[in-house]
Amino acid sequence: MNPLTYHRARSIDEAIGLTGVGAPSLLGGGTNLIDLMRKGVEHPSALIDVTALSSEIEATGDGGLRIGAAARNSALAAHPLVRSQYPMLARAVLAGASAQIRNMATVGGNLMQRTRCLYFQDAAGSRCNKRSPGTGCDAIGGFNRYHAVIGASPSCIATHPSDMCVALAALDALVHVAGPGGKRRIPLVDFHRLPDERADIETLLEPGEVISAVELPPSPFGTDSGYRKVRDRASYAFALVSVAAGLTMRGGVIEDVCIAFGGVAPKPWRALRAEAALRGGPAIGEAFDAAFQGEFSDAAPAAGNAFKIELAQRTMSAILTQLSGSAS
Ligand code: SF4
């Protein structure tokens, strides 16, 4: 391991100031970053520990929720307001990793975690445009069962690994960031980039910017929402496909719906086209399937993961069928 320095930031301004020195990485719970340093994928010259920044989870004046970036995943999933007003988020967090990892991992770190593509993590032996731009991608034509079926590019077909972010995308979360140029809010659905020709640039964060909080607006879905995750084994595995969804009914038709997919794209995939197709229509399997087909009309699976498209369709249909039954 390379020599490095360690600083524990006491304020957001201190953290921003420290990012200007050398090639630092921000350290939350370390559940992903430390692994990548051990594997030779990440080589920071300094670690800026941001776990002393805000971890508060508190109601906002408009009925929403503000989550400090240093909040632990386990605290988020257990919070009474999350469980009562945003149950899909609690379920998504609990579907991720192990209890020990959730106790360490932070909300800000979850947003910044990197793909679990095996070739990305194999710094010694594999070509990877995300790790070393311009070198190629061994997943294309290799073992790509876990990779993207939509939103990928010829440079990278990796998936985003987060469960939490799928629910945050469905809930219209806003990411609060602060940096040398001031503060701004970025919709979660825009925060992560698709790979195009620069697979190594994964978010809209500018140099020196630090995530301070995640804000959730009031949700119209409440308990009429859920999260389903399909994986190769029952626990401690990343999603083959996941779906976060909320649905309300009025007069026998779908009044409102939100849908986001995980495990299928390089970022949490908000299904806006499917949502638009479903609003005002019947909550029946044929309508769910037609909406899915429209959403995934641009899908381009690799050799080893075409099964994900039918799996995603069935998972979406199953959760919407469940929600429409309980909401009507
Ligand atoms: Fe690297 Fe992306 Fe290819 Fe995986 S899919 S090897 S992360 S470029």
Side-chain angles (χ1 to χ4, degrees), residues 115-121 126-132 135-140 144 147-148 153-159 195 199 202:
T115 184
R116 295 326 197 267
C117 172
L118 296 175
Y119 302 102
F120 170 73
Q121 298 184 64
S126 297
R127 297 177 306 150
C128 174
N129 287 322
K130 187 181 286 295
R131 178 168 30 77
S132 303
T135 58
C137 169
D138 277 342
I140 299 173
N144 44 44
H147 289 71
S153 80
S155 71
C156 178
I157 60 171
T159 50
E202 298 176 342

Side-chain angles (χ1 to χ4, degrees), residues 186-205:
I186 307 170
L188 189 281
V189 293
D190 299 327
F191 182 79
H192 298 99
R193 288 180 73 256
L194 293 178
D196 53 49
E197 72 283 358
R198 287 300 304 269
D200 56 314
I201 303 175
E202 298 176 342
T203 72
L204 293 186
L205 277 186

Side-chain angles (χ1 to χ4, degrees), residues 69-198:
R72 304 288 177 173
N73 289 9
S74 51
L76 180 66
H79 196 280
L81 289 176
V82 176
R83 292 169 64 91
S84 61
Q85 297 181 25
Y86 307 95
M88 80 160 77
L89 177 58
R91 292 196 185 102
V93 173
L94 292 174
S98 63
Q100 292 89 344
I101 288 177
R102 291 195 296 271
N103 286 340
M104 286 296 294
T106 64
V107 169
N110 193 291
L111 267 62
M112 297 303 294
Q113 68 177 301
R114 309 201 67 191
T115 184
R116 295 326 197 267
C117 172
L118 296 175
Y119 302 102
F120 170 73
Q121 298 184 64
D122 178 24
S126 297
R127 297 177 306 150
C128 174
N129 287 322
K130 187 181 286 295
R131 178 168 30 77
S132 303
T135 58
C137 169
D138 277 342
I140 299 173
F143 180 71
N144 44 44
R145 172 177 170 78
Y146 298 104
H147 289 71
V149 296
I150 194 167
S153 80
S155 71
C156 178
I157 60 171
T159 50
H160 193 270
S162 173
D163 291 291
M164 175 192 295
C165 289
V166 181
L168 294 178
L171 291 166
D172 292 316
L174 295 167
V175 184
H176 289 236
V177 304
K183 298 178 180 177
R184 61 187 180 123
R185 300 188 303 175
I186 307 170
L188 189 281
V189 293
D190 299 327
F191 182 79
H192 298 99
R193 288 180 73 256
L194 293 178
D196 53 49
E197 72 283 358
R198 287 300 304 269

Side-chain angles (χ1 to χ4, degrees), residues 202-234:
E202 298 176 342
T203 72
L204 293 186
L205 277 186
E206 298 288 342
E209 284 189 320
V210 178
I211 299 171
S212 58
V214 172
E215 177 187 344
L216 291 175
S219 172
F221 301 106
T223 55
D224 297 325
S225 68
Y227 184 75
R228 284 201 182 198
K229 179 177 181 178
V230 183
R231 45 191 159 178
D232 274 335
R233 60 173 189 263

